[in-house]
Amino acid sequence: MSMLTPPGLKGKQYRITGTAYPRLRRPNHRRRFILLAVTGVTVLAVLGWGTIQLVDIFGGGAKKATAAARCTRAAAGDSAPRASAPASASASASASAPRASTSAAGAPAAAAASGAAAPSALPGVPLPAAITVNVYNATNHAGLAGQTAALLKQRGFIIGKIGNAPAPLQNKIAGTALVTGGSTSTALMNVVGSEVAGAKPSTDQRKDTSVDLVLGNGFTALATPAQAAQALALATKPSPTASAHC
């Protein structure tokens, strides 16, 4: 196949010969576009992950990790065995506890003779021999106050008044007991309240250190010495600072 040269051209020096016309195409950039797209998606993913990490760090992630570490250390400290207090600490704790008259020295012996276990001394917790308890009966069970007072005396408490509860409290205590004392007698009330499971504390305007134990309709018996000691330990144990966030 041959083609004639356009008009105006001389001879055959510009004649195009061959079986097909040459076709001019643009270079194929598809691979480059695909590579650029993949690279862009990868960069965006890396930037997004880095942004999430920065937000977590500056938005409280570090605080959560610190709190978790504190909780772990607190749990490890609670589970670790604790050594017994030195003898000097026990001596100082006994010296700081309120002391009664000569009857305080004979109270543990009397409790042991009656078959009741003497409560173990806790640092900063007064002994029963230093506490005067008034026992009142707010129920219809006759003689309940006297019986309970006799048992408390065997456990080392000093018994004050025994009788029926005031009229406003008669048959008004649905629980086991009500323990009432002055605003500065919290430690004394804790010791008396540990003798009755479920006893509720209450304060009034009295100026002395006596504590009233008002027996309610739910009262059946005093706690055992072991139960009372456990309840007193829980009532006087300070709460850990880190447990609120764990």
Side-chain angles (χ1 to χ4, degrees), residues 136-140 163-173 214:
Y136 297 106
N137 183 9
T139 71
N140 295 326
N164 293 327
L169 296 178
Q170 281 294 331
N171 293 316
K172 298 297 176 59
I173 301 177
V214 185

Side-chain angles (χ1 to χ4, degrees), residues 8 12 23 40-41 70 80 88 101 117 124 133 135 167 169 190 194 197 202 222:
K12 298 181 180 179
R23 296 183 179 180
V41 171
R70 291 179 180 175
S88 58
S101 58
V133 184
V135 185
L169 296 178
N190 285 337
S194 65
S202 176
L222 292 177

Side-chain angles (χ1 to χ4, degrees), residues 129-203:
I131 305 174
T132 299
V133 184
N134 303 316
V135 185
Y136 297 106
N137 183 9
T139 71
N140 295 326
H141 300 285
L144 188 60
Q147 297 171 4
T148 305
L151 294 175
L152 290 175
K153 185 176 181 179
Q154 292 179 1
R155 298 187 181 189
F157 290 93
I158 300 174
I159 303 303
K161 300 177 181 179
I162 302 175
N164 293 327
L169 296 178
Q170 281 294 331
N171 293 316
K172 298 297 176 59
I173 301 177
T176 57
L178 179 67
V179 179
T180 305
S183 57
T184 59
S185 301
T186 302
L188 305 176
M189 294 168 58
N190 285 337
V191 177
V192 176
S194 65
E195 298 292 335
V196 181
K200 303 297 183 182
S202 176
T203 57

Side-chain angles (χ1 to χ4, degrees), residues 23-137:
R23 296 183 179 180
L24 300 179
R25 296 181 179 178
R26 295 181 179 180
N28 191 352
H29 298 292
R30 181 177 300 176
R31 295 182 179 177
R32 183 180 299 177
F33 291 153
I34 294 175
L35 181 60
L36 290 177
V38 173
T39 304
V41 171
T42 305
V43 172
L44 290 177
V46 173
L47 291 177
W49 176 252
T51 303
I52 293 175
Q53 295 298 319
L54 291 177
V55 171
D56 183 66
I57 292 175
F58 292 101
K63 295 181 180 179
K64 294 179 181 178
T66 303
R70 291 179 180 175
C71 292
T72 302
R73 289 195 298 268
D78 291 340
S79 61
R82 298 181 181 178
S84 57
S88 58
S90 300
S92 61
S94 300
S96 62
R99 295 182 179 179
S101 58
T102 55
S103 62
S114 62
S120 59
L122 295 174
V125 178
L127 294 174
I131 305 174
T132 299
V133 184
N134 303 316
V135 185
Y136 297 106
N137 183 9

Side-chain angles (χ1 to χ4, degrees), residues 230-241:
Q230 183 179 8
L232 182 59
L234 292 176
T236 57
K237 180 181 179 181
S239 58
T241 55

